[in-house]
Amino acid sequence: MKLLLLITSILLTTQLFAQKMIKGQVLEAEKNKPVPSASVFLNNTSIGTITDAQGRFELLVPSGKYDLIVSSVGYETFSRTITASELNDALTITLKLKAPELETVVIEPFEKDGWATWGKFFTENFIGTSALAADCRIKNYKTIRFRNSKKNKELTATAYDPLIIENKALGYTIRYQLESFRYDFKTHYLVFTGYPYFEPMKGSEGRQKRWQKKREEAYLGSMMHFMRSLFRNQLLQQGFEVRALQKVENTEKKRIRSVYSTNSKATRNADGTLMVATINQDTAAYYNKILSQEDFRDVIGREVLPGDSIAYAVNETTAGFDFSNYLLVIYKNKIAPPEYQRDFPKSSTAMMSQLTLINGTPVEVQSNGSYFNPEDLLSLGYWAWSEKVATMLPFDFELPKGK
């Protein structure tokens, strides 16, 4: 989150491959009848179309691997990973009717007036708190429903319809099919998954130029920029400094926590009298100092890692990304924006992130910067803050030539 099909000392350089037109038809599974006006698109791109009255569609697919998404109101979302070169026959896609969720049989039902309670929290964690987020809004936010599991200490959000998101900062209208949103209050881990489709907004020439400039700013230093640089073995050239990182447990804090827990418990003697262990002022001060430290300390490797030490070529459009423990990634060509420093005043001004493969499984990196399976790769630090919908770009985004 081992592919050893082809191991080379360097990664593949960028190549151009022909696009391929794929055709298909979308049918309802139960009655085998056409589903008109269904959205058919490549996940996280601006490449998409809708089905005609007979449920038919045509879509031009670039080389590489993509998730083909088909969605329609009232039906379960269809998802299939495709490679254009493997598709020779017309596709027949069947959609299942979405079963209505019965709140009466759910132990923890949706919260009444959930948006009033959780809307701000959801927006900050889904859209983000960057400067771009100020010009990004969810038009149909009322479709979002919330559950707050006090037992699991977890907030989940569900949307029955695709979210319509206007990003006026980057010039996109995004149809986001939200599949899951989970925030763990114990670990502070956030996971949201879904299928975004980008529709470029129309505007004057001046507005298009401003949008293009903002898109370039959002791209530089992003996870997409990193993955494309990794695929091309150009991390250093593109401004990324990568080092190995290990997290070493703070054993003194673990010991003090155990001692503190023991000494702070009340006990009773045989005669029933209450005995409370006390801690003197100097010891308490030391305890508080140690307990305020992090549970783990970061040990950073001295050597800067080249791309081909953590990735290898699989085929013309895919690289394997594999490493142990953690990676520290710093983008050297920019500093963290003021909003990040505002939200995390103790953090460095550097655009500093950490990556770990939470399942120990490599991820497949595509030439366009996408990677599979995204849930296998956990990011901490800057990217955990920045990689939200407001800064999201479609995978068919390209920098102008010469940049």
Side-chain angles (χ1 to χ4, degrees):
M1 123 161 273
K2 264 200 192 244
L3 300 173
L4 301 174
L5 301 179
L6 177 63
I7 301 177
T8 64
S9 59
I10 59 173
L11 299 185
L12 298 168
T13 55
T14 306
Q15 300 181 42
L16 295 178
F17 298 89
Q19 296 178 321
K20 184 174 182 179
M21 179 70 73
I22 64 170
K23 300 180 180 181
Q25 185 178 27
V26 180
L27 303 173
E28 181 182 306
E30 285 77 5
K31 298 182 180 180
N32 204 39
K33 65 178 184 179
V35 180
S37 302
S39 295
V40 182
F41 61 94
L42 302 183
N43 183 39
N44 215 331
T45 73
S46 60
I47 303 169
T49 186
I50 60 172
T51 57
D52 63 16
Q54 299 303 315
R56 297 189 180 94
F57 68 90
E58 294 183 352
L59 194 64
L60 196 60
V61 179
S63 63
K65 181 184 290 187
Y66 298 89
D67 285 332
L68 176 67
I69 309 300
V70 182
S71 67
S72 184
V73 175
Y75 295 91
E76 295 181 4
T77 303
F78 171 89
S79 172
R80 174 181 168 184
T81 302
I82 64 169
T83 303
S85 59
E86 297 175 352
L87 297 176
N88 297 315
D89 301 322
L91 296 172
T92 299
I93 296 169
T94 56
L95 297 184
K96 296 180 180 179
L97 289 170
K98 185 180 294 183
E101 186 163 3
L102 302 177
E103 294 189 35
T104 57
V105 300
V106 177
I107 297 176
E108 293 178 285
F110 291 124
E111 289 202 5
K112 186 179 180 180
D113 301 324
W115 184 261
T117 304
W118 297 107
K120 183 175 184 293
F121 181 88
F122 177 85
T123 301
E124 289 179 349
N125 284 277
F126 180 68
I127 299 296
T129 57
S130 65
L132 298 177
D135 288 325
C136 194
R137 71 186 185 99
I138 305 171
K139 295 182 66 177
N140 58 338
Y141 62 87
K142 292 183 179 180
T143 193
I144 305 172
R145 313 290 293 277
F146 296 91
R147 282 197 183 98
N148 180 25
S149 173
K150 296 181 179 179
K151 177 181 177 181
N152 298 325
K153 295 184 179 180
E154 181 181 72
L155 177 71
T156 59
T158 301
Y160 290 131
D161 300 323
L163 301 180
I164 308 301
I165 303 168
E166 282 187 342
N167 189 340
K168 293 184 178 180
L170 297 182
Y172 293 112
T173 298
I174 306 171
R175 291 175 56 87
Y176 196 103
Q177 187 72 41
L178 183 68
E179 295 299 304
S180 69
F181 177 97
R182 303 189 309 276
Y183 183 86
D184 189 321
F185 290 101
K186 293 177 293 185
T187 63
H188 302 292
Y189 280 3
L190 167 69
V191 176
F192 63 83
T193 60
Y195 305 117
Y197 171 57
F198 293 77
E199 297 179 87
M201 290 181 175
K202 296 180 180 179
S204 64
E205 182 178 350
R207 181 169 293 181
Q208 293 290 344
K209 288 182 179 179
R210 289 193 293 273
W211 282 335
Q212 180 62 26
K213 184 178 179 180
K214 287 286 187 181
R215 293 169 186 173
E216 292 174 18
E217 292 174 358
Y219 171 77
L220 295 173
S222 67
M223 182 82 83
M224 182 193 294
H225 185 197
F226 172 81
M227 290 298 181
R228 289 182 178 182
S229 303
L230 178 67
F231 180 88
R232 293 164 175 79
N233 197 25
Q234 293 182 346
L235 291 175
L236 286 173
Q237 297 92 319
Q238 291 295 319
F240 291 100
E241 182 179 284
V242 181
R243 298 176 187 270
L245 183 149
Q246 289 187 336
K247 292 186 177 293
V248 179
E249 186 176 18
N250 187 336
T251 55
E252 177 65 359
K253 181 175 181 178
K254 183 179 181 180
R255 185 187 71 83
I256 293 299
R257 183 181 284 140
S258 175
V259 172
Y260 183 84
S261 176
T262 301
N263 287 346
S264 62
K265 289 182 179 178
T267 60
R268 292 184 183 275
N269 290 328
D271 61 1
T273 57
L274 191 65
M275 298 292 293
V276 180
T278 58
I279 303 174
N280 65 51
Q281 188 172 358
D282 291 339
T283 302
Y286 176 73
Y287 280 14
N288 290 329
K289 176 183 177 181
I290 298 300
L291 290 173
S292 66
Q293 297 175 358
E294 297 292 338
D295 291 339
F296 294 84
R297 63 185 179 91
D298 293 343
V299 178
I300 302 170
R302 295 182 178 181
E303 296 182 0
V304 176
L305 301 178
D308 56 9
S309 69
I310 53 177
Y312 51 87
V314 174
N315 55 41
E316 291 85 353
T317 60
T318 306
F321 184 26
D322 192 12
F323 58 93
S324 302
N325 298 311
Y326 288 77
L327 291 179
L328 176 68
V329 182
I330 303 175
Y331 184 62
K332 308 287 286 187
N333 295 345
K334 291 163 63 175
I335 63 171
E339 313 90 75
Y340 178 69
Q341 298 176 43
R342 175 201 65 204
D343 292 349
F344 301 94
K346 294 183 179 181
S347 65
S348 166
T349 58
M351 288 174 57
M352 186 181 303
S353 307
Q354 297 178 12
L355 297 176
T356 185
L357 298 167
I358 58 177
N359 295 319
T361 306
V363 296
E364 294 184 22
V365 179
Q366 305 296 304
S367 59
N368 62 8
S370 63
Y371 55 96
F372 299 85
N373 183 345
E375 291 191 50
D376 287 340
L377 187 66
L378 175 68
S379 61
L380 305 170
Y382 179 76
W383 279 336
W385 173 85
S386 68
E387 292 290 311
K388 303 294 173 64
V389 171
T391 59
M392 188 181 292
L393 293 165
F395 284 121
D396 51 323
F397 169 80
E398 292 289 347
L399 285 176
K401 292 183 178 180
K403 288 193 176 183

